[in-house]
Amino acid sequence: MPKLVWLNGTVSPMESATVPAADHAHLYGDGLFEGIRIYGRKVFKLDEHLKRAYDGCRYMGFNMTMPIEELRANVLDVCKQADIDDGYIRLNITRGTGLGLDPRATNNVPNVMIMISSLNLYSKEMAEAGLQVVTSSFRVNPPDSLDPRLKCIGRYASNIMAKAEANRAGAGEALMLNQHGMVAECTGDNIFIIKDGVIRTPHPTAGILQGITRDTVIRLARNAGMTVVEDFFTRFDIISADEAFLTGTAAEVIAMVSLDTQKIGCGVPGEVTKKLIGLFREETKTGTAF
């Protein structure tokens, strides 16, 4: 599969693609991104990802003059050029090019990148056994600093530091709390717990990125007759849960079997989690063909 990059209308092999040195995301993290999956030559939840990106552009004040329909067509065209069955799309939109924090220092012309590649966040063995998770010392950004619903490139510095903590501990992921000690999310995933048949996940106001995979799993679970509650809870609720799992575009749906070396339930993927994994895999057969 060729790994391709579309940047402002020019397509190049990923190995030779370049961005402007003074791109505002490169200099300051002043950009937005989306990670999007390709399954069976179909782009999964493309419209939902694009809507979130354009909502972010409005919030950040980017002069995104390209209509959403045009960007959608460009994404599908680059997928077709890559001739890929299954893969990963990275979409970046930055404020523009220019040196200096002041947005007026940029040319006010967003740089837009579509990268077609592959991403395997967890090994097959980890996916089957479930993830060992540790609690990070890094907290999620509070909404009075940066709205957590914003998929901003600069926002992820703390997530990367938390992931490094997990790596040093030999864990697969790190749990991040908010400023009040409530559970928020993991470094690249939303979290769910199951107790007495009820599925609970942090409320959007707990400081989470309201993930598209998260919302998909909530809908699938409710359609299957399960009770799902968006709630507030602590580490105690995770450790005392019957099951736990994580969701994300890159992670898909994966069991979480321990927190800080303490088993969750029996310490193996639970039955509800496995059912939801199956439902999600069926859902990935839908999408936008290219």
Side-chain angles (χ1 to χ4, degrees):
M1 152 197 147
K3 297 181 179 181
L4 298 181
V5 172
W6 182 101
L7 178 63
N8 298 333
T10 299
V11 178
S12 309
M14 189 168 72
E15 294 75 15
S16 60
T18 60
V19 297
D23 175 82
H24 229 234
H26 178 230
L27 294 178
Y28 307 108
D30 186 18
L32 302 165
F33 78 96
E34 291 290 329
I36 312 170
R37 283 274 193 174
I38 301 168
Y39 296 101
R41 301 186 71 83
K42 293 179 181 178
V43 182
F44 188 60
K45 304 294 180 184
L46 175 59
D47 293 327
E48 290 87 340
H49 281 284
L50 292 179
K51 181 181 184 303
R52 183 167 65 183
Y54 274 73
D55 287 345
C57 286
R58 284 192 291 273
Y59 184 87
M60 294 284 284
F62 290 0
N63 183 34
M64 186 60 175
T65 57
M66 182 190 299
I68 192 169
E69 296 81 7
E70 182 179 340
L71 181 56
R72 186 181 191 272
N74 287 330
V75 169
L76 295 174
D77 181 62
V78 182
C79 289
K80 188 180 297 184
Q81 290 186 55
D83 194 24
I84 181 175
D85 292 331
D86 300 285
Y88 186 80
I89 304 167
R90 171 66 183 248
L91 170 66
N92 275 25
I93 304 172
T94 80
R95 188 179 301 277
T97 304
L99 181 62
L101 282 173
D102 191 335
R104 293 173 298 182
T106 71
N107 61 1
N108 204 31
V109 179
N111 291 311
V112 181
M113 182 196 76
I114 305 164
M115 177 191 295
I116 310 297
S117 187
S118 59
L119 180 66
N120 293 313
L121 192 60
Y122 303 117
S123 67
K124 182 180 179 181
E125 291 74 23
M126 292 176 76
E128 291 176 352
L131 291 180
Q132 314 282 332
V133 178
V134 295
T135 304
S136 173
S137 62
F138 292 91
R139 301 297 176 98
V140 296
N141 292 322
D144 57 354
S145 295
L146 189 67
D147 195 295
R149 291 171 294 181
L150 195 68
K151 206 165 174 65
C152 178
I153 293 170
R155 168 188 186 267
Y156 279 80
S158 56
N159 297 54
I160 292 168
M161 298 296 287
K163 183 67 174 179
E165 279 189 316
N167 293 343
R168 290 192 294 271
E173 241 310 1
L175 176 71
M176 300 180 74
L177 309 178
N178 66 20
Q179 300 301 309
H180 303 290
M182 307 300 289
V183 171
E185 59 188 6
C186 290
T187 66
D189 327 281
N190 292 116
I191 183 170
F192 291 75
I193 61 174
I194 305 165
K195 180 75 171 181
D196 299 327
V198 176
I199 302 171
R200 297 169 67 193
T201 192
H203 192 275
T205 58
I208 68 167
L209 177 76
Q210 193 169 344
I212 289 167
T213 304
R214 169 191 182 272
D215 290 350
T216 299
V217 168
I218 290 173
R219 175 178 56 80
L220 292 172
R222 287 174 174 164
N223 288 348
M226 303 178 193
T227 300
V228 184
V229 179
E230 295 178 286
D231 204 356
F232 300 89
F233 53 88
T234 68
R235 290 177 62 257
F236 178 90
D237 298 285
I238 299 175
I239 292 169
S240 61
D242 300 321
E243 302 179 38
F245 63 92
L246 309 179
T247 66
T249 295
E252 301 177 296
V253 183
I254 187 168
M256 172 180 169
V257 297
S258 75
L259 178 62
D260 300 323
T261 73
Q262 294 182 274
K263 287 183 180 179
I264 298 169
C266 297
V268 296
E271 292 305 312
V272 175
T273 298
K274 288 190 283 189
K275 181 174 182 178
L276 289 169
I277 290 171
L279 290 173
F280 180 75
R281 285 177 178 163
E282 283 299 307
E283 182 76 4
T284 62
K285 296 176 182 177
T286 65
T288 305
F290 54 84

